[in-house]
Amino acid sequence: MKLTEIRLQRLKMKLNNPFRNSISAVNAKELYIITAIDEAGIEGYGETVAFDTPWYTEETVATNRMAIESWLIPLLREKTISHPEEITELFSVVKRNQMAKAAVEEAIWDLYAKQTETPLYQLLGGNRTKIAAGISLGIEPDVKDLLKKIEQKVIAGCPRVKVKIKKGWDMDILREIRRHFPTLPLMADANSAYCIRDLDYLRQLDEFDLMMIEQPFEDGDFADHAQLQRAIKTPVCLDESIHSLQDVRTALELGSCKVINIKIGRVGGLAEAKKIHDYCFARNIPVWCGGMLEAGIGRAHNIALASLPGFTLPGDIGGSAHYWKKDIIHPEVVVTNGEITVPKSPGIGYEIDRDAIRKYLIEEQIFPL
Ligand SMILES: O=C(O)CCC(=O)C1=CC=C[C@@H](O)[C@@H]1C(=O)O
Ligand SMILES: [Mg+2]
């Protein structure tokens, strides 16, 4: 592929809607835009998705930077690759650091798609022209604020709403939501707020006809999740537990869940995300595309991935305006009647908004290959 340069740009972007879950509150996002440049000057883009502190997984903005600069860029100098699928193997000498690997791999997929004049979604095997855009709503100071936000999304045609729960903000809140929206496709995400001692308490979830309960227990608790899934009818979905196809195999063989949330960053890139999709699709296990409060480049990659046929459930992929005053791509991602049209131009299908990037830029560095 003859890469000549990798550019790192660190941005800081303030969120329109500060996002609170069971562990953390995110008001602004810092991220790296990774640009992979070839000898013809074609540019491919990727985005890091880790947060400032390691509350979601062990990675952070700072560890992403260190991994990319210290280990991943040197590996790109060692070997010329001819296809982005070779990146997983090339980076395999570095343990984990999935979000760092994914951001670089995304940039190389976008570059390859542009070199071959193919839309990224087609390159990945996607066949949807539109994807369903669900929304994830954080914990609010008052349930009335949450009900108002849900109502706005329902009026706009949102196909499903996900709410965050934790101890003290769970059964009563879900009951109240159901009182106002009895048939709304609804799910709840606990971000590991519970443990196996809460099993009896969690049986109450079956009252609310939820599409699923996402990540009730800790990351490594496959056996406990299996025990819970045996005890409740509500499907368990795993998010933080899934770092690779191997984790999906473990979860499905133990019966730890019935649904998988795929996040490109959490599983180390698009190639692994596609492998997980293919594995689940062959076994009729529904998957959906999770979100990490991405800016436009990460969101564009999510849209391409979510066009694959096994993504049968709406993802956490809101429109740009839900997150940012001004996104870093144009056109911005727009949700119409609960759907996003998958762009058809080569690569990720969106242009970079250089003025917006300049506005958010804190630091830039170029690494020759
Ligand atoms: O809109 C999005 O990008 C999804 C936001 C969202 O629900 C999450 C983002 C990051 C971490 C979590 O709090 C949560 C999730 O667990 O899915
Ligand atoms: Mg989650």
Side-chain angles (χ1 to χ4, degrees):
M1 287 180 67
K2 302 254 169 67
L3 301 179
T4 55
E5 218 168 88
I6 295 285
R7 183 168 62 219
L8 297 191
Q9 290 168 305
R10 183 172 180 139
L11 312 188
K12 181 165 186 175
M13 299 174 70
K14 199 168 158 290
L15 280 162
N16 283 341
N17 294 293
F19 191 74
R20 180 175 287 282
N21 60 30
S22 67
I23 325 169
S24 174
V26 184
N27 298 301
K29 186 106 195 266
E30 282 201 33
L31 54 94
Y32 282 96
I33 300 302
I34 318 297
T35 307
I37 307 169
D38 75 359
E39 53 184 359
I42 303 176
E43 299 192 347
Y45 307 104
E47 179 181 323
T48 62
V49 298
F51 297 104
D52 290 358
T53 58
W55 63 266
Y56 172 76
T57 66
E58 66 278 20
E59 292 184 81
T60 66
V61 185
T63 70
N64 283 176
R65 166 64 188 245
M66 190 184 71
I68 293 170
E69 181 174 357
S70 310
W71 307 311
L72 305 183
I73 290 177
L75 284 168
L76 290 176
R77 289 195 184 111
E78 269 175 30
K79 190 171 176 257
T80 308
I81 53 152
S82 53
H83 191 278
E85 273 173 357
E86 294 166 28
I87 292 288
T88 316
E89 169 80 26
L90 180 66
F91 286 173
S92 65
V93 291
V94 175
K95 297 290 174 201
R96 293 284 272 254
N97 289 281
Q98 312 294 62
M99 295 176 186
K101 291 175 180 173
V104 177
E105 195 232 31
E106 279 182 354
I108 293 172
W109 274 101
D110 182 32
L111 175 61
Y112 183 80
K114 286 170 177 159
Q115 287 176 337
T116 55
E117 294 180 2
T118 322
L120 177 62
Y121 87 95
Q122 267 180 21
L123 206 56
L124 296 172
N127 62 358
R128 290 173 202 280
T129 55
K130 288 174 191 273
I131 60 157
I135 203 74
S136 172
L137 298 175
I139 291 171
E140 294 287 337
D142 193 289
V143 67
K144 286 201 187 76
D145 302 313
L146 180 59
L147 291 170
K148 196 178 259 165
K149 289 202 167 169
I150 296 176
E151 189 182 14
Q152 285 165 359
K153 294 299 173 187
V154 169
I155 290 169
C158 184
R160 75 98 166 104
V161 172
K162 161 168 141 183
V163 295
K164 293 286 179 176
I165 57 168
K166 62 172 183 178
K167 286 183 184 165
W169 179 275
D170 48 16
M171 305 308 165
D172 292 345
I173 302 299
L174 293 171
R175 199 165 291 118
E176 194 60 8
I177 296 173
R178 271 294 175 236
R179 204 163 66 78
H180 288 81
F181 306 96
T183 58
L184 172 71
L186 177 69
M187 54 183 282
D189 184 1
N191 292 107
S192 311
Y194 305 93
C195 69
I196 195 67
R197 288 189 299 281
D198 301 310
L199 190 140
D200 276 332
Y201 178 71
L202 292 175
R203 288 180 202 274
Q204 293 180 67
L205 287 171
D206 283 347
E207 256 182 65
F208 307 113
D209 189 27
L210 300 177
M211 297 168 75
M212 67 196 86
I213 167 74
E214 183 177 344
Q215 197 70 40
F217 301 156
E218 281 296 329
D219 173 342
D221 293 353
F222 288 103
D224 291 347
H225 277 108
Q227 210 176 317
L228 176 69
Q229 184 64 94
R230 282 194 294 273
I232 62 174
K233 284 212 268 322
T234 306
V236 173
C237 168
L238 292 181
D239 173 357
E240 284 91 327
S241 294
I242 304 298
H243 305 275
S244 62
L245 175 59
Q246 282 300 342
D247 288 336
V248 172
R249 289 189 49 210
T250 304
L252 295 180
E253 288 191 15
L254 290 176
S256 313
C257 66
K258 291 182 180 162
V259 184
I260 301 285
N261 167 337
I262 304 182
K263 290 184 182 171
I264 303 167
R266 175 171 31 70
V267 303
L270 283 159
E272 190 74 7
K274 185 172 153 46
K275 277 188 207 153
I276 294 174
H277 161 275
D278 294 351
Y279 184 88
C280 292
F281 191 49
R283 288 159 183 78
N284 265 322
I285 300 294
V287 303
W288 55 279
C289 184
M292 289 289 286
L293 309 172
E294 286 92 346
I297 292 170
R299 193 166 307 283
H301 282 277
N302 287 347
I303 292 168
L305 180 69
S307 75
L308 271 70
F311 285 80
T312 52
L313 297 167
D316 279 344
I317 313 181
S320 299
H322 175 73
Y323 304 89
W324 318 111
K325 212 163 174 178
K326 178 97 191 66
D327 206 341
I328 56 171
I329 51 168
H330 58 87
E332 296 201 341
V333 175
V334 179
V335 177
T336 312
N337 292 326
E339 288 184 322
I340 295 168
T341 301
V342 180
K344 295 201 170 44
S345 40
I348 55 173
Y350 296 88
E351 297 295 324
I352 293 309
D353 184 335
R354 292 181 199 277
D355 290 340
I357 291 193
R358 215 168 296 125
K359 207 174 107 214
Y360 296 122
L361 190 66
I362 332 183
E363 185 216 337
E364 174 170 329
Q365 198 172 342
I366 290 171
F367 298 87
L369 295 182

